[in-house]
Amino acid sequence: MQSRVSTPRTLLAARRQAFGPGVAEPPPPILRSWERCAALGLDFGTRPRIEPLSSVEMRAAFDRNEALRRRCRPEIEALHADARATGGLVILTDAGGLILDTLGNDSFAGRAAQVALRPGVPWSESLTGTNAIGTALIERRAVEVRGAEHYFEPHRILSCAAMPILGPDGAVLGILDLTGPAGIHQGHALGLVGLAVDAIEHRVLDAVPAGCEVLRLHRDPALLGTPREGVLVFEGRRIIGANRHGLALLGLGWDAIGAEAVGRHGADLAPGPLALRDAQGDPLYGRLQGPPAPPRRRPAPESARPGFPVPGLSAPGPEAPILDPATQKLLARAVRLIEAGIPVVVEGETGTGKEVFARSAHAACARSQKPFVAVNCAALPETLIEAELFGYEPGAFTGAARHGAKGLLRQAEGGLLFLDEIGDMPLSLQSRLLRALQEREVLPVGGTRPVPVDFALICATHRDLSRMVEAGAFRADLYYRIAPYRVRLAPLRDRPDRPALVRELWARTDGPARAVSLSPSCEAALAGATWPGNLRQLAACLKALAALAEPGEVLDLDALPEGVAAGAVAPAPPPMRRPEPEAGRLDAIAQDAMRAALAAHGGNVSRAARSLGISRSTLYRRCLTEQAARA
Ligand SMILES: Nc1ncnc2c1ncn2[C@@H]1O[C@H](COP(=O)(O)OP(=O)(O)OP(=O)(O)O)[C@@H](O)[C@H]1O
């Protein structure tokens, strides 16, 4: 095919030829992006060549961005309803434009996936041409890219609005995007994304380091305390963090972080209400707040820039697992066994911490400096599992990567392979796995020469493997090979240390750092509930409670999701790695939180919305959606 790398003029002419003379001249940010793409030599008539991440790389990306995803969840949940209603998707990417999550309309998600708009694919401008995510990253501001404004022709089916999420030092943390079909006018998309990003950036600034002061500003005093207010955080007279509204109101740029900047605007920096002036000399309403109560237990996280910590965003790192003495003993035994080359099977209901246990064993064993590779056998499609596990030679099948693939078993070389949900491995593959374990070598798909492998093995399952063997659903020889030693993790409802667990897990949320606390009756209800989703469900509920609370709030029974307050069985959430059910569970938590907020504020929608950090219209819409669903 003839290459169609060209200038924006010729691209516009080509678009007018294809879609009619009515194609308007795009706005300056799009023209600038077209220039950049042309300069990179991208051919607009082709399909961009993008290699999606492998499942292992994707898992690592999720781990790196776990805190970002958690921070953005309330807003993503709220946007999810809009996206579904308008037939679109809400998308979260990491700081480099790698798509982490897409939520919304299923049929549009399928069409978007055909042009590679799906998790695991990087949408940077240099790879995917002009697009809202990649272009917003370069322009560092909100960008809308509609239909034929996309550089690559196949992307013309999309209409996207994206905005960077900035940390307190101005560093990009990720991108939030609303994408819909180009044929439907998405007039409100950019506004909705902007409001959501305001709320996220505002919440990030809640975690003020001990000893710092916070200046909150707005031209309209009624908007103080909302995500639209300007915020600047001071250590002495030095600004160590801000949001974009705060800087804009004072006419400052991000280079003001680290500088002494407020004196010249007339602030006397005494706690309480302030009389300030903006860059044009117009009055501003402000309030200076003294240092908040120091966090209860949490150590101060790493700084994004000297002086300002961004809890859970700049330094997410895995947190130490909470292990009771009985589990610690089991762990010590498991470590000795895997070091002796003997596999271990971990059994337990969903969310009891089987993977946490396997990761702890890896961290404690002599292989800790080598990879930990986790494979969820239930999540891999049967057609892919063989190639994913054993790798494949170049050209082994249609759609295979050009250079072949190593496979997960070989990626675990020297380290530990964790085969989760081993009970879901198809029978046809069990014999291949057995051979690999016995011979200590793998034969890639399409290959003729086996490759030696060396890894420790931990398998996990929520099923009764011995029963499956009796029923003929699991090979007996594989069972005896992988299960010489079995560890059983107790369900949460049977653990006597539940009150301590609630306190430990709460201490790991952002709640304590924002002076949010649980009342004794709330703590007791959380410890008394049945939690069919076990530690995962309890941890997720605590994180949601912390995310929805106002700084300084004491959470009581009315803050809890329905059922938990009554000590009843809370519905079991499905495993976290399956995105749709996860969204459903958080949706339920959000609905409960909204009902609780409305009740707590006597049905006053404005105050309830403000206490949740969402807009009145979102609260109305979500309540109406829920009523409609019930009718
Ligand atoms: N020991 C622990 N300490 C702290 N948190 C834990 C612990 N165990 C589990 N959790 C919490 O529960 C979540 C789920 O744990 P994990 O993935 O290990 O469960 P699982 O039993 O492997 O679940 P599944 O069978 O559904 O894959 C973790 O992400 C963490 O939030």
Side-chain angles (χ1 to χ4, degrees), residues 320-323 348-357 418 420-421 462 505 508 535-536 539 543 575-577:
I322 307 163
L323 300 174
E349 291 177 9
T350 182
T352 45
K354 299 185 292 294
E355 180 165 345
V356 167
F357 184 92
F418 174 60
D420 200 1
E421 306 299 1
H462 67 279
L505 287 170
R508 291 169 179 220
L535 277 160
R536 173 183 289 125
K543 283 176 182 175
M576 253 192 170
R577 275 171 245 139

Side-chain angles (χ1 to χ4, degrees), residues 87-365:
L89 293 174
V90 51
I91 296 172
L92 178 70
T93 81
D94 73 1
L98 172 76
I99 297 183
L100 298 168
D101 295 297
T102 60
L103 275 178
N105 180 284
D106 289 340
S107 78
F108 181 65
R111 287 175 57 209
Q114 284 169 11
V115 291
L117 191 71
R118 60 184 164 84
V121 179
W123 272 64
S124 60
E125 203 181 74
S126 59
L127 290 172
T128 32
T130 306
N131 72 88
I133 293 168
T135 305
L137 262 178
I138 293 186
E139 297 268 332
R140 275 181 63 87
R141 63 187 173 116
V143 169
E144 199 163 16
V145 181
R146 280 177 269 185
E149 290 174 356
H150 286 89
Y151 189 80
F152 284 109
E153 273 174 22
H155 299 159
R156 68 180 184 279
I157 62 165
L158 308 172
S159 179
C160 316
M163 184 160 175
I165 303 163
L166 302 183
D169 63 347
V172 175
L173 304 173
I175 297 274
L176 193 64
D177 171 285
L178 257 184
T179 286
I184 299 177
H185 181 55
Q186 315 278 340
H188 60 308
L190 206 56
L192 286 176
V193 170
L195 287 173
V197 170
D198 274 350
I200 295 166
E201 292 177 350
H202 192 255
R203 192 164 338 104
V204 169
L205 278 160
D206 277 346
V208 175
C212 291
E213 289 168 310
V214 183
L215 178 61
R216 300 181 181 278
L217 303 164
H218 205 283
R219 288 202 177 87
D220 178 351
L223 290 178
L224 282 174
T226 73
R228 305 293 286 174
E229 72 183 356
V231 181
L232 293 107
V233 181
F234 292 89
E235 197 175 52
R237 294 187 72 85
R238 198 166 60 97
I239 305 176
I240 60 160
N243 66 0
R244 47 186 122 203
H245 296 308
L247 293 173
L249 283 169
L250 294 184
L252 302 171
W254 286 105
D255 54 359
I257 307 294
E260 283 186 22
V262 165
R264 67 193 165 94
H265 295 286
D268 58 5
L269 291 183
L274 296 173
L276 291 169
R277 304 221 159 255
D278 68 13
Q280 284 73 46
D282 293 329
L284 286 174
Y285 295 89
R287 173 170 295 277
L288 188 72
Q289 294 172 329
R296 223 193 324 157
R297 306 160 57 88
R298 209 178 158 104
E302 297 266 304
S303 296
R305 258 198 215 171
F308 199 96
V310 192
L313 280 177
S314 52
E319 283 179 312
I322 307 163
L323 300 174
D324 61 356
T327 315
Q328 277 173 20
K329 262 192 205 154
L330 292 174
L331 182 66
R333 245 182 257 168
V335 168
R336 279 211 298 280
L337 288 165
I338 57 173
E339 286 192 335
I342 298 168
V344 170
V345 165
V346 188
E347 297 171 333
E349 291 177 9
T350 182
T352 45
K354 299 185 292 294
E355 180 165 345
V356 167
F357 184 92
R359 285 186 185 274
S360 310
H362 172 249
C365 80

Side-chain angles (χ1 to χ4, degrees), residues 344-525:
V344 170
V345 165
V346 188
E347 297 171 333
E349 291 177 9
T350 182
T352 45
K354 299 185 292 294
E355 180 165 345
V356 167
F357 184 92
R359 285 186 185 274
S360 310
H362 172 249
C365 80
R367 293 174 180 266
S368 61
Q369 296 310 307
K370 298 286 177 161
F372 174 91
V373 175
V375 183
N376 186 342
C377 302
L380 289 174
E382 197 167 336
T383 45
L384 282 186
I385 192 167
E386 186 177 14
E388 282 277 339
L389 285 179
F390 304 106
Y392 54 84
E393 295 293 329
F397 50 86
T398 322
R402 226 170 334 137
H403 304 295
K406 219 170 164 187
L408 295 164
L409 265 58
R410 283 171 65 198
Q411 286 179 27
E413 183 62 25
L416 192 147
L417 178 69
F418 174 60
L419 292 180
D420 200 1
E421 306 299 1
I422 185 78
D424 291 287
M425 174 166 281
L427 264 174
S428 57
L429 281 178
Q430 291 179 15
S431 51
R432 280 205 68 177
L433 177 65
L434 178 64
R435 206 168 329 125
L437 296 178
Q438 270 167 353
E439 313 292 330
R440 296 264 145 202
E441 53 185 32
V442 295
L443 184 63
V445 176
T448 48
R449 263 189 308 158
V451 186
V453 282
D454 166 40
F455 51 77
L457 181 68
I458 297 187
C459 299
T461 182
H462 67 279
R463 297 176 191 273
D464 184 337
L465 283 184
S466 56
R467 284 246 177 94
M468 288 182 74
V469 170
E470 280 163 23
F474 200 85
R475 286 185 66 117
D477 43 10
L478 180 60
Y479 176 68
Y480 295 123
R481 177 84 206 173
I482 62 171
Y485 182 75
R486 289 155 61 202
V487 172
R488 177 136 206 100
L489 298 182
L492 190 51
R493 62 183 170 281
D494 292 347
R495 289 182 59 166
D497 59 337
R498 272 175 297 160
L501 267 173
V502 168
R503 284 193 293 275
E504 284 277 352
L505 287 170
W506 174 253
R508 291 169 179 220
T509 69
D510 297 332
R514 296 168 52 231
V516 181
S517 58
L518 302 173
S519 73
S521 49
C522 182
E523 233 177 57

Side-chain angles (χ1 to χ4, degrees), residues 560-626:
L560 296 176
E562 231 171 59
V564 176
V569 178
M576 253 192 170
R577 275 171 245 139
R578 294 166 203 166
E580 284 170 34
E582 162 78 354
R585 182 163 56 81
L586 281 166
D587 206 46
I589 292 173
Q591 294 283 12
D592 286 337
M594 285 188 276
R595 276 197 299 272
L598 279 169
H601 293 281
N604 182 319
V605 177
S606 302
R607 273 194 272 140
R610 185 176 293 200
S611 76
L612 292 168
I614 60 177
S615 67
R616 280 174 73 237
S617 59
T618 301
L619 187 54
Y620 265 124
R621 187 170 21 75
R622 298 288 302 267
C623 293
L624 289 175
T625 313
E626 188 195 16

